[in-house]
Amino acid sequence: RVHGDVTDFSMRLLNIVVANLLIFTWIIGIIVPMSTYGWATFSISGATAEIGLLRGCVSAAGASTCDELSSASGTGRCPNFYHGGRFVFSLLLISVFLGIVGILANALLAFEIEVGPVNTAMSKVIALSSSAGIALLLGLSWVFYCIIVYSAGCYKRNYKAGYSFALCFVGWLLFSIPAAVLNTMDQIEMAVP
């Protein structure tokens, strides 16, 4: 190799490694909001409720109980939590699988490995597609949770957004979008300045 090729390769490698670290950090970071009860909270007269994507907990007078969310409506129930939580959990789970595919594709690129029909050009397309898919699904999950849950009357009367919802948004801005940008830069063979 000539000196210019080594420099170009090292810049590409830097893009790929940083994109992989962003995706990996995002996967670990998105598992936290997926598994916590902090998507919506409610507190009144010493009683608190924390709602996650699939389950909710209520605490009052030193006792607490956690149950799966229900699609039934009625006094004190909000089926929007059930429907919105299930939908967003599905989108986030698909994005985690896309993240794993993106990490594998970036690893193939970093080590310049070709496996079967997956050559370097195909690995670039897979890495770009998966990181763009992650960014899209994470953005859509955030928007759809807003539409399905936060627009519901039962939410507006009693609840407020929790920390898991904020973590999802911060993860989208800090990790998934930059990873997609870095994979795009690798696809068009542009180095980070």
Side-chain angles (χ1 to χ4, degrees):
R1 291 184 175 184
V2 295
H3 182 65
D5 289 341
V6 172
T7 304
D8 291 343
F9 174 73
S10 64
M11 290 304 290
R12 262 194 58 238
L13 184 61
L14 180 64
N15 285 2
I16 293 166
V17 169
V18 171
N20 237 8
L21 289 173
L22 287 170
I23 292 170
F24 180 74
T25 305
W26 173 83
I27 288 174
I28 299 303
I30 203 62
I31 290 173
V32 172
M34 286 176 71
S35 60
T36 58
Y37 296 113
W39 283 81
T41 60
F42 169 71
S43 182
I44 188 168
S45 301
T48 59
E50 290 185 316
I51 307 297
L53 294 177
L54 304 176
R55 297 175 54 88
C57 286
V58 177
S59 300
S64 68
T65 181
C66 297
D67 291 314
E68 289 198 19
L69 299 176
S70 172
S71 62
S73 41
T75 306
R77 295 186 182 258
C78 187
N80 294 56
F81 287 121
Y82 174 83
H83 298 295
R86 294 264 191 283
F87 184 69
V88 168
F89 188 84
S90 300
L91 289 178
L92 293 177
L93 191 60
I94 292 168
S95 69
V96 167
F97 288 123
L98 278 177
I100 293 168
V101 169
I103 287 174
L104 293 174
N106 277 323
L108 291 176
L109 282 171
F111 296 111
E112 294 185 338
I113 298 173
E114 295 184 4
V115 179
V118 181
N119 57 18
T120 302
M122 180 68 76
S123 291
K124 284 183 179 183
V125 170
I126 292 170
L128 174 60
S129 301
S130 65
S131 61
I134 291 168
L136 178 68
L137 287 173
L138 189 55
L140 285 176
S141 67
W142 190 79
V143 167
F144 278 113
Y145 199 79
C146 287
I147 292 170
I148 296 169
V149 175
Y150 294 155
S151 65
C154 54
Y155 173 83
K156 289 179 184 178
R157 285 188 302 273
N158 302 316
Y159 291 88
K160 61 182 178 182
Y163 62 90
S164 295
F165 180 73
L167 281 174
C168 185
F169 183 70
V170 169
W172 180 60
L173 289 177
L174 294 181
F175 299 109
S176 67
I177 290 177
V181 169
L182 287 171
N183 280 321
T184 301
M185 291 174 74
D186 185 53
Q187 178 68 24
I188 62 174
E189 297 180 0
M190 179 179 171
V192 177

